[in-house]
Structure formats: C-alpha cells, structure tokens
Amino acid sequence: MPEWINILLRSTGSLVILFLFTKWLGKKQLSEMNVFEYITGIVIGSIVAFIAADLDGNVFHGLLALSVWFIIPFAAEFLSQKSKTFRNIIEGKGTVFIQDGKIMEDNLKKERYTTDDLLEKLRDKNIFRVADVEFAVLESSGALSVLPKKENQPLTAKIIGMTVAPEKESQTVIMDGKVLMEPLANLSLNTNWLETELDKMNISIENVFLGQADSDGQLTVDLYDDKISVPGPSEKPLLFATLKKCQADLELFALATENQQAKQVYQTNSNKLQHAIDLIAPYLKS
Amino acid sequence: MTVGSQVKSCYSSLKSADAQLGILANKAQDQETRQTYQDVQNIISEIKEDLQKEVIRIGQEEPQYKN
C-alpha cells in the first residue's frame, strides 16, 4: 500500500473518531473548560495527529491511547454528575475573593492572585471601585463572578415597583424574502395574516430581508431596500390613545351635563375607564 | 358638533377599542397578557353599554338634532 493512501486512510479515520469523541464529551468542554478538560483536549488532539501522520507507529497503539484519554474523562464527567464530592475534586470549588464587601487576602494568596489581577478582573466587569462590590467569587473555570452592592446594581422594574407586561420570545417569520411556516405556526398565525400585515405596510414579501413577529402578533420588518422607511407597529399606541381620549371625553360629558343622573353615569364610567387604562398601560406601552 | 354627536363619536371610539382588544387578546401568546386584555375588554364593554343607553336618551331628549 503506497504511503499516501495510508495517510489518507489514517487521517480520515482519525478525523471521524475525533469528531465522535468530541461529540460524546459534550459541548461543555468548549465553554467552561477546567484545567483537566483543557489538557485532555490537547492530548486527544496530539494523539490523533500522531495516528494520522506517524506511519511507523502502530495504529492500534494510538487507538488504545486515544480510548484511555477518552474513557477516563468520560467516566470522570459521568461520576461528577452523580456525586458532589467527586465533582469538587474534579472540577474544583470556587474561591471567595470578596465577602460582605471585604477582600479575603488569604484566598487571594491561595489562588496566587495579586491585587492587580483582582482589580483587572473587576474592571473587566465594569467595576472600578472595590467598595462597590458586595461579593465576588473566582469560579473553577477561572472567571470572576461579581455581585455589586444593591445600590450599584442596574435599576430594574422590580426595584422601582413598576408593573411590566410579560414578554415571550419573538419569532422570525420571514427570512430572505421567504415565509418560515413553523415559527408562524408557533404564534398560531398563518400566511393570510402575514399577507394582510404586509399589505398594511404596503410592501411585498420579496422585498423583506427579515421579518419578526412578537408574542402579541406585531410584525416588524427589515427591507432589502434601505431607502424605504417602514412604519413601526402602530396598533397598540393607537389603541392606547383612543382609550385615553374616550376617558377624557367621558370626564368632559360629566362636567358639561346638568342632568344629575347622567352626570353620575359619566363619572362612574370615566373612573372605570381610568382603571382599565391603568391595567392595560404596561401592555400597550411595551 | 352637538352633544349628541359627541357622545356618539365617543361611543364608536369605544366600540373600536373593544374590537381591537378582542383581536389583541386572540393574538396574545402569554396567558397573563391574554387575561388582562380580556378583563379590560369586559370593562370597556360595560362602559359601552352605559354609553349606548346615554346615546338613546339624548336622542329622545333632542329629537330635532337627530341627524
């Protein structure tokens, strides 16, 4: 067998094996590798390279070594899923660097972190003052997780006690001028609806590069032709304005009429409508 | 515009808002959102009914302005 065929066979074979192994070892490897997994990856790569290119070497020796480097990390991962103690050994535990706003110098020393390293990591999280930090922990993956003090956390609707409408994910319903049926069905809408909405905006589907519908069935589109401006969804703002106008009208009628009974009717209904507007405002404004 | 026609126009605005809310409630995917739309739609329907009576009453009071 000529050498080049040998190399072709070995390369293709090891490529397939490598592909399968990395699939089985899981996605976790890439995103949050600890040192052990990192080294495993490198070693598996080197062994595969050896199998592919070293013609003097025995293929089966290579495969044997490869399976050891596959099976042990695989088993370790499996066991660490089952047992917490094992997981602590394999993946390590996080080290607390800042607790109650105070830096734990001993822990820094233990992880061989200098003050500069810590400051750099904090700056990475957009924190320039250690005093702003309530709690920080060095994860086993090497990333620093930081919890800023409450007053330094970004303002959320919960903090200011605002009611917000729940929002489901939007679905992409048009891509490259073509309708995607499945996302459309997920929103329980159909192509008829889509055509009507596009007609309302006075555009044809061929001109749509990307169209998304939110969970309230509002369509937003981006066109190929960027010179055409597309009106944004106006349904909800219009409805909100209508409701507010009606409320003001009712109040006006209540003031204008001299019939006591009618005044009463207008007044109660105006209050009722105000209550309804308060209820629905978060939904219509989003 | 007479008072009668003003009340009438307010009534039809409410009618359209009522219908719009019905459409939104039907399209909403989230249960809570749908519930809110429906609740508000019910309130609006009640107001609408009251206002309709008012429209009729005004029509009887001032038949000369009935268009």
Side-chain angles (χ1 to χ4, degrees), chain A residues 2-281:
Chain A
E3 277 186 357
W4 63 273
I5 292 187
N6 199 356
I7 289 186
L8 272 188
L9 284 177
R10 279 162 175 255
S11 297
T12 327
S14 47
L15 196 73
V16 172
I17 292 172
L18 188 65
F19 178 75
L20 291 178
F21 278 11
T22 41
K23 277 269 157 182
W24 277 323
L25 280 177
K27 280 183 206 153
K28 202 185 138 206
Q29 285 247 314
L30 266 182
S31 57
E32 39 186 290
M33 270 199 291
N34 57 36
V35 183
F36 179 57
E37 288 165 331
Y38 184 64
I39 292 174
T40 311
I42 295 175
V43 171
I44 289 181
S46 328
I47 296 175
V48 168
F50 159 80
I51 297 176
D54 189 359
L55 295 181
D56 302 327
N58 188 328
V59 182
F60 295 101
H61 290 172
L63 286 180
L64 191 65
L66 194 59
S67 38
V68 169
W69 278 93
F70 168 69
I71 288 167
I72 292 181
F74 195 73
E77 220 160 81
F78 180 76
L79 283 175
S80 62
Q81 229 163 32
K82 300 277 169 202
S83 133
K84 170 80 179 137
T85 354
F86 196 79
R87 189 156 62 230
N88 287 347
I89 298 169
I90 292 286
E91 299 190 350
K93 276 202 273 190
T95 315
V96 177
F97 274 0
I98 300 178
Q99 192 157 33
D100 302 328
K102 297 183 184 66
I103 302 177
M104 311 267 108
E105 292 81 7
D106 293 342
N107 286 350
L108 275 184
K109 213 172 281 172
K110 213 166 73 191
E111 295 290 341
R112 286 181 295 282
Y113 251 66
T114 64
T115 324
D116 282 322
D117 291 337
L118 178 66
L119 288 178
E120 188 188 325
K121 287 269 189 188
L122 285 177
R123 281 197 296 269
D124 204 31
K125 300 266 173 195
N126 264 332
I127 292 169
F128 289 78
R129 250 161 48 117
V130 180
D132 290 348
V133 180
E134 170 71 28
F135 181 76
V137 57
L138 183 74
E139 307 290 355
S140 52
S141 62
L144 189 73
S145 303
V146 182
L147 176 75
K149 286 195 175 136
K150 196 75 185 172
E151 68 263 29
N152 293 309
Q153 282 174 18
L155 198 61
T156 58
K158 190 178 150 196
I159 295 176
I160 54 174
M162 203 172 99
T163 38
V164 287
E167 194 178 345
K168 291 274 164 69
E169 75 279 11
S170 299
Q171 300 270 5
T172 304
V173 291
I174 307 175
M175 215 183 255
D176 303 319
K178 287 188 188 67
V179 183
L180 303 179
M181 296 310 280
E182 203 187 305
L184 207 55
N186 284 343
L187 291 174
S188 47
L189 298 168
N190 54 23
T191 38
N192 261 340
W193 169 83
L194 195 59
E195 275 162 21
T196 325
E197 288 295 310
L198 288 174
D199 272 350
K200 272 194 221 163
M201 294 188 216
N202 205 8
I203 43 183
S204 69
I205 190 158
E206 293 81 30
N207 200 5
V208 180
F209 175 63
L210 188 77
Q212 289 185 309
D214 67 11
S215 56
D216 271 342
Q218 289 190 112
L219 185 69
T220 46
V221 291
D222 183 86
L223 303 184
Y224 280 112
D225 190 345
D226 289 329
K227 287 199 183 71
I228 304 174
S229 67
V230 202
S234 59
E235 194 181 11
K236 291 207 269 185
L238 264 179
L239 176 58
F240 191 58
T242 310
L243 287 177
K244 270 172 103 171
K245 183 187 165 288
C246 287
Q247 200 269 333
D249 277 352
L250 284 174
E251 218 154 285
L252 211 65
F253 298 154
L255 287 177
T257 182
E258 280 166 13
N259 181 331
Q260 279 307 315
Q261 198 194 342
K263 207 184 205 50
Q264 193 61 41
V265 170
Y266 287 135
Q267 196 60 55
T268 40
N269 278 326
S270 151
N271 289 342
K272 248 171 154 180
L273 190 51
Q274 185 58 51
H275 170 64
I277 291 174
D278 289 343
L279 263 183
I280 209 166

